[in-house]
Amino acid sequence: MRNLILTSLLAVICIAATAQWSRADYRVVPLPDRIDGIRGADFRLTDNCIINYPTGQRDMERNAALLSQYVEELTGMHLSTRPTVNAKDGLGNISLLIDPKMDNDEGYRITVMPRAVEISGRTAAGVFYGIQTLRKSLPAGQCPEVLLPAAQVSGSPQFGYRGMHLDCVRHFFGVETVKRYIDIMALHGMNRLHWHLTDDQGWRIEIKKYPRLAEVGGWRNGTTLGHNSPVNDGIRYGGYFTQEEIRDIVRYAADRYITIIPEIDMPGHMVAALTAYPELGCTGGPYEVWGMWGVHDDILCMGKDHTLQFVQDVLDEVMELFPSRYIHIGGDEAPRVRWEQCPLCQQRISDLGIHRTERQSAEALLQGWFTTRIQDYLSRHGRSIIGWDELLGCDVDASATIMSWRGAEPGAEGAKLGHDVIMSPVGPLYFDYYQTSNTWNEPTAFGGCNTLKKVFDFEPIPAELPEAARRHIIGVQANVWTEYITCEPQIQYQVLPRMAALAEVQWLRPADKDYDDFLARLPHLVDIYKHYGWTYRAKSLTEKDE
Ligand code: ACM
Ligand code: ZN
């Protein structure tokens, strides 16, 4: 008898647990703007549901296929998809709809009724974000049926530019890793991948006109151990993306509404290119792809017309590969010691009639001249530049978008000057920095301490910024430099769960942010990380901010 009671009790507990776990919870990360309950029974999501999409709309067809894939990955249920031909198709099913009356291009609305679910957006991208919210509200684990509480759930992002950056130079990561990074971004509602492809330590993009860039510049003869120690491992290291691979990745990202913004850093961070083509430098070399980290004195020579032609040729191929309106041209950390010594660079300064000012050296203005030429070139091709905040010291035109990395202050200054700005300050948005001050058991990182809470608390629009400048803060991004990141699990560890906090910064209005509430919603997102086998920093869920 006691056994029977116990067994019955256990059965009740199991049913209760199953019931709880098979019920969707719309309080996901990032939090929707509104979750309004609707009277009526839960919608039963089962294998029998079909995902409808508007006939003839390729992007909505793809959205439907992705929703089906996500549901299957998470719950094991297989939902088929079909083009909608008649209004009754909605009954018992999920319908993806375009609603031109919605006001935000990327906003979504999920309406769960007892007998139908609708996911609407003004654009297919908005529908995709609705799909992500529904996906994250599902349990992660085998489940024959999920109950969706009747409700209307809506969300829209605060910022149009919601970025993550990935350095594939300092360490090289192949196609599959980049695609998984894109998957992780999509789950977090992000839409711009800033892809760092060239630097002193390697050139990672095939350029047909200059094959030595990848073949020679793609390889270094060894890598320093630790933080620029005198010990070099002596192991030849490198690799690059072929143009075919890049096209494949760009397509994969676009299918998930992520635009890839390539960065070709210039005129500094160019030693790999100089190794391949020494005539591009002031001294003529020889150069060697760098096995140390930091800032190298050898940069592109501004005195040679050939260098300018080289940059335009490279950008021609970059524009072919990347449809992005923005091309990132770096501009950071360009020492001018070589230019000061180089007769050709000095001749250029003289020919251009450049004179130093109280604030700027002639060489700083020379970088401004170079940047403006590139800016004009890209603009003639319908593109715009993004550059690091050093460009503000070079008198560039306000049409250049500034990426503020040396704190948020340069970005604020840039916005006041009329530049669009993306906030990406080292503190707290360098995700290659430590996540805790207690670093002993952490994978080696650059330094610093950018905790989950610091990321969450970051406010991209500085409080004191004048009203007219506020609209110039178009977005926010975290950066992942990979000097000390050697493998994919380490990338994931550095970004998860900090990307969750960043997603709330990118999507929520400041008044709607609440850290304790975020921490309460985070474990379910982490269940999804676990389900996909992604590595993440578990301690960030429980430890005090330290
Ligand atoms: C940078 O971190 N050098 C932009
Ligand atoms: Zn020179």
Side-chain angles (χ1 to χ4, degrees):
M1 184 64 183
R2 256 183 60 189
N3 262 354
L4 194 62
I5 292 171
L6 213 62
T7 316
S8 315
L9 202 66
L10 223 58
V12 169
I13 291 170
C14 283
I15 290 165
T18 315
Q20 189 195 1
W21 280 107
S22 60
R23 207 177 159 86
D25 182 350
Y26 308 125
R27 293 180 50 76
V28 300
V29 176
L31 186 67
D33 297 336
R34 296 190 65 118
I35 303 173
D36 298 314
I38 294 176
R39 282 166 69 92
D42 296 344
F43 176 89
R44 285 182 55 204
L45 181 65
T46 69
D47 254 342
N48 295 328
C49 294
I50 297 172
I51 303 169
N52 296 315
Y53 61 88
T55 311
Q57 295 189 21
R58 290 288 304 274
D59 40 7
M60 294 290 271
E61 180 177 357
R62 207 177 42 243
N63 275 344
L66 283 169
L67 174 57
S68 171
Q69 178 192 319
Y70 296 143
V71 171
E72 184 153 15
E73 284 168 354
L74 283 172
T75 67
M77 279 189 268
H78 177 76
L79 275 55
S80 52
T81 67
R82 70 167 173 208
T84 317
V85 281
N86 116 30
K88 290 217 178 72
D89 286 350
L91 219 57
N93 297 322
I94 300 178
S95 298
L96 308 185
L97 303 166
I98 295 292
D99 177 358
K101 290 194 295 299
M102 291 175 64
D103 51 13
N104 186 306
D105 271 352
E106 294 179 294
Y108 65 86
R109 184 181 62 236
I110 307 169
T111 309
V112 181
M113 297 163 280
R115 300 293 311 281
V117 176
E118 292 174 359
I119 305 180
S120 312
R122 185 180 153 85
T123 65
V127 173
F128 183 73
Y129 296 121
I131 288 171
Q132 292 302 334
T133 289
L134 185 66
R135 170 196 192 188
K136 283 177 277 195
S137 74
L138 300 177
Q142 286 294 315
C143 206
E145 150 175 333
V146 180
L147 298 179
L148 307 183
Q152 189 163 90
V153 180
S154 57
S156 61
Q158 180 180 199
F159 293 102
Y161 185 114
R162 303 182 300 281
M164 281 297 293
H165 153 283
L166 183 64
D167 170 9
C168 283
V169 173
R170 274 48 177 271
H171 283 97
F172 178 63
F173 306 97
V175 174
E176 290 312 309
T177 297
V178 178
K179 284 186 175 174
R180 249 183 311 270
Y181 198 71
I182 288 165
D183 288 339
I184 295 173
M185 289 179 62
L187 180 76
H188 291 84
M190 299 186 182
N191 65 357
R192 299 284 184 275
L193 171 57
H194 168 179
W195 198 10
H196 190 74
L197 285 166
T198 66
D199 215 303
D200 299 318
Q201 296 81 5
W203 185 282
R204 309 260 177 256
I205 166 174
E206 178 191 22
I207 299 293
K208 304 264 193 213
K209 193 158 185 184
Y210 299 92
R212 285 173 58 83
L213 282 173
E215 284 165 13
V216 175
W219 296 87
R220 60 179 180 252
N221 285 326
T223 305
T224 180
L225 296 184
H227 292 89
N228 269 349
S229 79
V231 183
N232 186 292
D233 66 13
I235 300 167
R236 194 162 160 76
Y237 182 92
Y240 63 89
F241 296 97
T242 65
Q243 295 203 346
E244 205 42 53
E245 287 172 330
I246 288 175
R247 283 200 184 89
D248 177 35
I249 291 173
V250 167
R251 216 176 301 121
Y252 188 88
D255 285 353
R256 288 150 184 82
Y257 303 92
I258 293 171
T259 303
I260 301 191
I261 299 171
E263 181 186 357
I264 309 295
D265 204 344
M266 60 184 84
H269 290 284
M270 269 286 175
V271 172
L274 298 184
T275 307
Y277 297 98
E279 65 275 18
L280 299 172
C282 289
T283 66
Y287 305 100
E288 188 178 353
V289 180
W290 211 19
M292 304 282 278
W293 316 127
V295 178
H296 203 288
D297 282 344
D298 286 304
I299 69 176
L300 292 177
C301 176
M302 292 293 101
K304 300 172 180 169
D305 291 338
H306 171 67
T307 309
L308 302 167
Q309 188 59 49
F310 163 82
V311 169
Q312 290 183 7
D313 291 342
V314 167
L315 289 174
D316 284 344
E317 294 192 30
V318 167
M319 285 189 281
E320 281 262 341
L321 291 169
F322 296 93
S324 163
R325 174 163 82 86
Y326 291 120
I327 306 288
H328 201 306
I329 55 126
D332 60 323
E333 299 178 323
R336 289 146 191 159
V337 287
R338 295 285 183 263
W339 293 357
E340 286 161 10
Q341 306 293 325
C342 170
L344 294 177
C345 284
Q346 291 302 315
Q347 186 63 46
R348 178 79 76 191
I349 286 173
S350 159
D351 291 348
L352 292 168
I354 291 177
H355 297 287
R356 60 165 303 136
T357 67
E358 242 172 59
R359 280 189 312 118
Q360 290 144 313
S361 66
E363 287 74 21
L365 294 169
L366 185 62
Q367 185 177 346
W369 166 79
F370 167 73
T371 306
T372 302
R373 274 186 67 120
I374 302 305
Q375 193 174 9
D376 290 346
Y377 186 71
L378 290 175
S379 140
R380 284 203 295 282
H381 291 80
R383 311 298 180 99
S384 311
I385 64 165
I386 300 180
W388 297 108
D389 61 54
E390 280 92 334
L391 291 192
L392 290 170
C394 305
D395 269 6
V396 294
D397 184 81
S399 62
T401 297
I402 299 297
M403 191 166 268
S404 189
W405 73 279
R406 295 174 300 175
E409 296 77 15
E413 285 314 304
K416 285 186 213 160
L417 293 170
H419 292 273
D420 281 348
V421 168
I422 296 149
M423 286 295 186
S424 191
V426 286
L429 294 184
Y430 270 35
F431 284 3
D432 52 323
Y433 281 28
Y434 285 108
Q435 318 187 45
T436 169
S437 56
N438 185 7
T439 59
W440 181 246
N441 291 116
E442 292 295 308
T444 304
F446 180 90
C449 175
N450 289 336
T451 62
L452 184 66
K453 181 158 192 315
K454 283 185 189 164
V455 175
F456 185 89
D457 285 342
F458 179 67
E459 201 24 74
I461 304 181
E464 67 286 358
L465 201 62
E467 196 51 45
R470 299 174 84 81
R471 68 181 170 82
H472 283 301
I473 312 292
I474 60 167
V476 51
Q477 168 179 301
N479 295 340
V480 182
W481 302 102
T482 57
E483 288 93 334
Y484 308 103
I485 299 178
T486 60
C487 59
E488 186 180 359
Q490 199 184 354
I491 297 177
Q492 293 173 354
Y493 183 89
Q494 290 301 121
V495 302
L496 300 177
R498 288 189 286 195
M499 272 175 79
L502 178 61
E504 297 249 315
V505 173
Q506 293 172 332
W507 277 78
L508 272 57
R509 281 67 186 168
D512 295 330
K513 280 167 61 186
D514 177 329
Y515 191 62
D516 289 335
D517 186 72
F518 164 71
L519 284 184
R521 286 179 279 117
L522 187 55
H524 181 58
L525 184 64
V526 168
D527 281 344
I528 296 177
Y529 298 165
K530 268 190 258 187
H531 190 79
Y532 280 99
W534 299 338
T535 302
Y536 60 94
R537 185 170 185 275
K539 280 186 195 163
S540 295
L541 274 80
T542 51
E543 77 190 354
K544 280 214 184 60
D545 185 39
E546 49 186 59

